[in-house]
C-alpha cells in the first residue's frame, strides 16, 4: 500500500524529534537557514512527538534512532501503521546505528543522515546541505508501507525465471529508497543468477551491514567488496561506501576493482562510474536497472549501456520512493523499459528489454 501525501505548499514543514536539546536546537537552526523549510516544532521523545504530529501536521519528521521512553523503531512502526508520513532517520556512525537504520528503512523511513558519535555539532553542520536536500526530497517521497519480510533469512518464494545465458552480468544502481528496493530485487533472483554488481549510495559504516542484510534475504551469495576479485555467477557484489566499484575484463572473465578517485556526480560509489565500466567491458552481455533515488547519478551510465547493446531498465515512478534517478534516465531515453519494482528482477534475468 502506498500512502502518498499531497506535495507541500510553501515551505516544507518539519518536526525535529531528538532527545538531545543541543541537536534539536542545531538542526532547527540548520534547517531554517533554508527559506524552503520551516521547523514547526521539536520533541524530546516519541510520546511528545505523537502529540505534536497531531497538533502541527508536519510534512516531514526527523527521528533519532535511539530515543528515551520508546525506541525509535517502535515509534516508527506505530507511525507507519497509523499515520504514514515521510521520516528521515538521524543515525550514529556505528555498527549498531547502521543496523537500526537499515531496520528503519525496512519499516518505511524514506532516508537517513548519519551523525558522528563525537562532536555532533560540527558533524551536523558539515552535513547541513545534505540534510536540507534530503528533507526537501523526503517531502515529495512516496511513503510505502513495508512488505512483510520473512524471519530467518528465507528469501521470498518466486517462480524461476529463465535467462538467455549464464555468460551475462547484471548491474543495479540506486539511492534514496534503494536499500529495500535492492533487497526486493535480489530476493527474486535464483541461486544461479548471473553475477550482479551493485552501487547503492550509502556511507562506509553502513555498506557492510547492508550487504549482510541482502545476503540473508537472497538465494545468491552477497559479498561486500573489499578487494579486487573475479565476478562469479550466483554472487552479488556490493560497492563499499566511500569507494567506486568498476568492472573490467581479464582474459575470458570479468573482475571488479575498487577506486578511491574523486566522487562522480558528488557520489562515491557512483552508479555512473559502475555503469560506464559495464558498458565498456561487458556491453551487450549486460542487463542493468536504475532504481529509486534522488538526483541523476546513473542516468548517463544507463544511456551508455543502452548504446552498448545492453538491456536497460528503469523503475517506474509509481513504485519509486523518489523518481529522480530513474526519471532522469527515462528523460534521456536511456531505459528500454520502465517497469514496477516487482518486475525488475524478471526483466534483468531475461535480458530481453524491448526496443
Amino acid at each position: 500500500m502506498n500512502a502518498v501525501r499531497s506535495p507541500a505548499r510553501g515551505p516544507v514543514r518539519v518536526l525535529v524529534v531528538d532527545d538531545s536539546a543541543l541537536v534539536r536546537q542545531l538542526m532547527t537552526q540548520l534547517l531554517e537557514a533554508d527559506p524552503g523549510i520551516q521547523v514547526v516544532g521539536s520533541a524530546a521523545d516519541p510520546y511528545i512527538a505523537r502529540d505534536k504530529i497531531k497538533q502541527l501536521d508536519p510534512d516531514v519528521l526527523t527521528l533519532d534512532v535511539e530515543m528515551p521512553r520508546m525506541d525509535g523503531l517502535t515509534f516508527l512502526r506505530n507511525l507507519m501503521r497509523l499515520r504514514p508520513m515521510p521520516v528521515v532517520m538521524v543515525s550514529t556512525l556505528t555498527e549498531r546505528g547502521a543496523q537500526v537504520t537499515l531496520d528503519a528503512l525496512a519499516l518505511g523511513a524514506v532516508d537517513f543522515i548519519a551523525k558522528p558519535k563525537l562532536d555532533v555539532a560540527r558533524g551536523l553542520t558539515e552535513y547541513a546541505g545534505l540534510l536540507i536536500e534530503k528533507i526537501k526530497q523526503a517531502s515529495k517521497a512516496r511513503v510505502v508501507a513495508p512488505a512483510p519480510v520473512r524471519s530467518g533469512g528465507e528469501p521470498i518464494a518466486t517462480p524461476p525465471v529463465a535467462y538467455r545465458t549464464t555468460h551475462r552480468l547484471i548491474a543495479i544502481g540506486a539511492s534514496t529508497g534503494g536499500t529495500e528496493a535492492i533487497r526486493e530485487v535480489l530476493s527474486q533472483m535464483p541461486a544461479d543468477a548471473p553475477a550482479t554488481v551493485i552501487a547503492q549510495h550509502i556511507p562506509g559504516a553502513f555498506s557492510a551491514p547492508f550487504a549482510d542484510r541482502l545476503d540473508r534475504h537472497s538465494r545468491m551469495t552477497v559479498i561486500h567488496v573489499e578487494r579486487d576479485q573475479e565476478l562469479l555467477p550466483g554472487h552479488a557484489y556490493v560497492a563499499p561506501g566511500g569507494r567506486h566499484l568498476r568492472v573490467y575484463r581479464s582474459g575470458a572473465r570479468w573482475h571488479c576493482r575498487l577506486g578511491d578517485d574523486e566522487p562522480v556526480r558528488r557520489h562515491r560509489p557512483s552508479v555512473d562510474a559502475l555503469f560506464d565500466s559495464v558498458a565498456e567491458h561487458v556491453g551487450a552481455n549486460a542487463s542493468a536497472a536504475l532504481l529509486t533515488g534522488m538526483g541523476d547519478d546513473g542516468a548517463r551510465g544507463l544511456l551508455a549501456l543502452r548504446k552498448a547493446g545492453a538491456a536497460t531498465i528503469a523503475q517506474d515512478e509509481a513504485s519509486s520512493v523518489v523518481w529522480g534517478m530513474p526519471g532522469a534516465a527515462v528523460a534521456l531515453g536511456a531505459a528500454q523499459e520502465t517497469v514496477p519494482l516487482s518486475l525488475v528482477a524478471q526483466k534483468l534475468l531475461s535480458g530481453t528489454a524491448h526496443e
Side-chain angles (χ1 to χ4, degrees), residues 325-344:
M325 286 162 47
V330 170
L332 282 178
Q336 292 168 305
E337 288 194 279
T338 304
V339 301
L341 181 62
S342 59
L343 296 181
V344 169

Side-chain angles (χ1 to χ4, degrees), residues 73-347:
L73 289 183
T74 300
F75 177 66
L76 181 64
R77 187 180 294 108
N78 292 338
L79 183 68
M80 290 302 166
R81 179 172 54 87
L82 299 172
R83 191 192 183 281
M85 65 178 296
V87 175
V88 175
M89 304 301 294
V90 180
S91 313
T92 52
L93 283 169
T94 63
E95 184 176 350
R96 169 169 166 73
Q99 294 288 356
V100 174
T101 300
L102 291 168
D103 288 340
L105 295 172
L107 289 172
V110 170
D111 206 345
F112 68 94
I113 187 155
K115 63 180 179 182
K117 194 173 182 181
L118 302 174
D119 199 359
V120 174
R122 178 182 176 184
L124 282 177
T125 301
E126 291 176 351
Y127 285 136
L130 182 60
L131 174 62
I132 289 168
E133 185 178 16
K134 285 177 181 279
I135 292 293
K136 289 182 174 180
Q137 288 293 331
S139 72
K140 306 171 188 175
R142 287 166 177 78
V143 181
V144 181
V149 178
R150 296 186 178 190
S151 60
E154 289 295 324
I156 299 169
T158 55
V161 181
Y163 45 87
R164 289 188 290 200
T165 172
T166 56
H167 190 61
R168 294 188 64 81
L169 185 135
I170 290 172
I172 300 172
S175 184
T176 314
T179 56
E180 284 303 293
I182 292 170
R183 182 192 60 76
E184 182 171 336
V185 171
L186 288 194
S187 75
Q188 298 180 42
M189 297 284 197
D192 59 349
T196 300
V197 286
I198 298 167
Q200 161 73 41
H201 297 163
I202 199 166
F206 289 58
S207 54
F210 170 53
D212 289 343
R213 178 178 293 252
L214 292 179
D215 188 58
R216 292 196 301 272
H217 296 288
S218 174
R219 299 173 181 86
M220 301 178 75
T221 299
V222 181
I223 295 171
H224 181 248
V225 180
E226 296 177 350
R227 58 180 175 81
D228 297 4
Q229 61 191 104
E230 183 181 347
L231 300 177
L232 302 173
H235 292 67
Y237 302 84
V238 175
R243 306 191 74 186
H244 291 305
L245 179 67
R246 293 184 174 93
V247 171
Y248 68 99
R249 182 179 286 276
S250 178
R253 300 182 182 277
W254 292 310
H255 292 246
C256 67
R257 64 163 56 104
L258 297 173
D260 298 312
D261 46 308
E262 290 300 309
V264 176
R265 308 203 184 286
R266 299 186 303 160
H267 296 289
R268 190 173 59 203
S270 161
V271 181
D272 271 332
L274 176 62
F275 281 7
D276 284 344
S277 71
V278 175
E280 179 181 356
H281 296 284
V282 183
N285 283 319
S287 299
L290 191 55
L291 307 181
T292 175
M294 69 179 181
D296 63 356
D297 184 32
R300 291 169 180 80
L302 197 71
L303 181 60
L305 278 160
R306 182 171 187 178
K307 290 179 178 178
T312 57
I313 300 146
Q315 184 178 350
D316 71 2
E317 185 172 7
S319 66
S320 295
V321 174
V322 177
W323 205 53
M325 286 162 47
V330 170
L332 282 178
Q336 292 168 305
E337 288 194 279
T338 304
V339 301
L341 181 62
S342 59
L343 296 181
V344 169
Q346 176 184 336
K347 295 296 182 179

